[in-house]
Amino acid sequence: MKIKHSKYKNTGILFELLVRQITADTLKGGDSPAIDILKKYFVKTTLGSEYKLYESILKSKVLNEGRANMVVTTILESSQRFNRSSLRKQKYNLINEIKTHYDLDVFFSAKIKNYKELASLYTLIEGYNQDSTPNTQQLIENKITLLEYLTKKEIQGAEVKEDVLKEFQSYDKDLRILTYKVLLEKFNTKYQDLSIEQKQILKEFIESVDSNPRLRTFYNTKIDELKTTLTKHSKQIKDKPTQIKITEISKLLVKVDKNNKVSNDDLVDLLQYYELIKELKISNGIQI
């Protein structure tokens, strides 16, 4: 379900408009009711705490893509700590109080400098905290908007993220978030693309999450596959020290026994081992 942005519910925009209104009232030489409204609703309140999430975007220095992704992820995780019912009530009361002192149409007609970024963060927060499945494409586009704002550069590889995440958009919230975090947090700063094998691992992990025996069987099969592939490619490597390293890596590939579960770390390790395979294929001139 696509999330509709609302200026009336966007904490970042509400704060910015109140500050703008205080400036306008002061320039006119009169008292500004917006000062008391801002103090009442944004000082030591849940609404004020949520605004700090928006502020952390607006006041951020230029970051590299990895740090920018970490900032956005932390903001979304922090948003889950707030009482959504309390936030809705505070916003409702805030709008009513603004309406008492100002014409809402005029109040909300002011242009906001970072409107696009504030709207993107609002949509992400709402999507992250709703029970129903949101529009995955919308969430990806909004996150890219924030990453580009924080890094001050165009984010590459968006199509890859879209292709993978579209495969999982029908799954429930917890699984979608897990996949999203693994893909963007673990690989966004290191790898520009995912191989067919890596996509298959992500998909199997999602589909088998409630069936540990199936996931364990899949994982162990992949471990065998990796050992065979590493042995094959190590023979094609002329550099002896590199050959030895590959052999040592193969020894680290251990199956999960029937008494243990496949963990998130096991998943990430598997993805990283296939990244190594991809690099070996490139170095050996093999088409991927």
Side-chain angles (χ1 to χ4, degrees):
M1 181 179 73
K2 193 165 185 177
I3 299 166
K4 185 177 181 180
H5 176 250
S6 171
K7 293 188 289 185
Y8 292 81
K9 298 177 182 178
N10 187 313
T11 302
I13 287 178
L14 288 169
F15 184 91
E16 295 299 320
L17 288 175
L18 281 170
V19 171
R20 189 178 291 265
Q21 189 62 55
I22 292 172
T23 303
D25 292 343
T26 302
L27 290 175
K28 291 178 182 178
D31 294 333
S32 177
I35 294 176
D36 291 330
I37 295 175
L38 190 142
K39 288 180 179 179
K40 179 178 179 180
Y41 289 95
F42 286 91
V43 177
K44 296 181 179 180
T45 63
T46 305
L47 199 57
S49 296
E50 188 183 49
Y51 172 70
K52 292 185 182 299
L53 302 183
Y54 288 84
E55 187 179 45
S56 62
I57 293 290
L58 297 180
K59 293 190 175 182
S60 174
K61 298 178 181 178
V62 178
L63 304 172
N64 62 42
E65 192 173 329
R67 288 183 178 273
N69 188 58
M70 186 179 297
V71 166
V72 175
T73 300
T74 301
I75 286 173
L76 294 177
E77 290 175 349
S78 298
S79 71
Q80 289 188 308
R81 300 171 189 167
F82 300 136
N83 185 312
R84 310 309 297 179
S85 177
S86 176
L87 275 173
R88 285 192 294 270
K89 184 176 180 181
Q90 287 181 32
K91 290 176 185 180
Y92 177 81
N93 292 335
L94 170 59
I95 294 299
N96 280 337
E97 193 147 348
I98 292 173
K99 188 176 181 180
T100 302
H101 299 280
Y102 303 101
D103 182 308
L104 286 183
D105 290 335
V106 175
F107 182 85
F108 281 100
S109 65
K111 290 186 177 180
I112 301 295
K113 182 180 179 181
N114 299 112
Y115 181 90
K116 183 179 180 180
E117 290 72 32
L118 292 172
S120 294
L121 183 52
Y122 169 85
T123 304
L124 278 175
I125 289 176
E126 290 301 307
Y128 203 81
N129 287 280
Q130 70 177 21
D131 294 326
S132 58
T133 303
N135 183 294
T136 309
Q137 177 67 28
Q138 182 187 28
L139 297 187
I140 292 171
E141 290 175 353
N142 286 322
K143 182 159 188 177
I144 289 174
T145 294
L146 294 180
L147 292 178
E148 289 181 341
Y149 176 78
L150 292 170
T151 60
K152 299 297 184 287
K153 66 178 183 179
E154 184 177 352
I155 299 298
Q156 303 298 320
E159 291 183 2
V160 174
K161 300 171 196 172
E162 291 172 10
D163 289 341
V164 176
L165 290 175
K166 279 178 182 176
E167 296 180 31
F168 309 129
Q169 64 184 347
S170 62
Y171 295 101
D172 65 41
K173 181 180 177 182
D174 290 337
L175 299 186
R176 188 179 63 256
I177 290 172
L178 171 62
T179 307
Y180 192 70
K181 288 173 69 175
V182 168
L183 176 61
L184 295 184
E185 292 177 31
K186 299 292 184 182
F187 287 85
N188 196 41
T189 59
K190 296 181 180 180
Y191 315 127
Q192 295 184 2
D193 200 355
L194 291 175
S195 66
I196 294 174
E197 291 84 2
Q198 288 169 325
K199 289 183 179 182
Q200 181 189 13
I201 290 167
L202 283 171
K203 185 174 182 179
E204 185 66 27
F205 190 81
I206 291 297
E207 292 179 345
S208 306
V209 73
D210 291 325
S211 176
N212 191 60
R214 171 182 166 178
L215 187 57
R216 185 171 54 242
T217 299
F218 173 81
Y219 178 84
N220 290 339
T221 300
K222 287 298 176 183
I223 290 297
D224 286 335
E225 182 181 298
L226 281 166
K227 284 185 175 182
T228 300
T229 305
L230 284 173
T231 300
K232 175 183 176 182
H233 287 297
S234 65
K235 293 178 180 179
Q236 300 173 351
I237 297 174
K238 297 180 180 179
D239 183 57
K240 193 65 177 178
T242 303
Q243 270 190 342
I244 294 173
K245 288 180 181 179
I246 295 299
T247 301
E248 291 302 313
I249 290 173
S250 295
K251 293 179 181 179
L252 297 175
L253 296 170
V254 180
K255 293 182 179 181
V256 175
D257 63 47
K258 62 181 181 180
N259 296 318
N260 293 320
K261 293 183 177 181
V262 179
S263 67
N264 291 358
D265 289 338
D266 291 327
L267 166 69
V268 174
D269 288 342
L270 208 55
L271 290 170
Q272 290 174 333
Y273 283 130
Y274 272 101
E275 187 66 23
L276 173 61
I277 296 295
K278 187 164 64 174
E279 292 175 1
L280 286 173
K281 287 182 178 180
I282 293 174
S283 66
N284 290 327
I286 299 173
Q287 185 68 32
I288 299 176

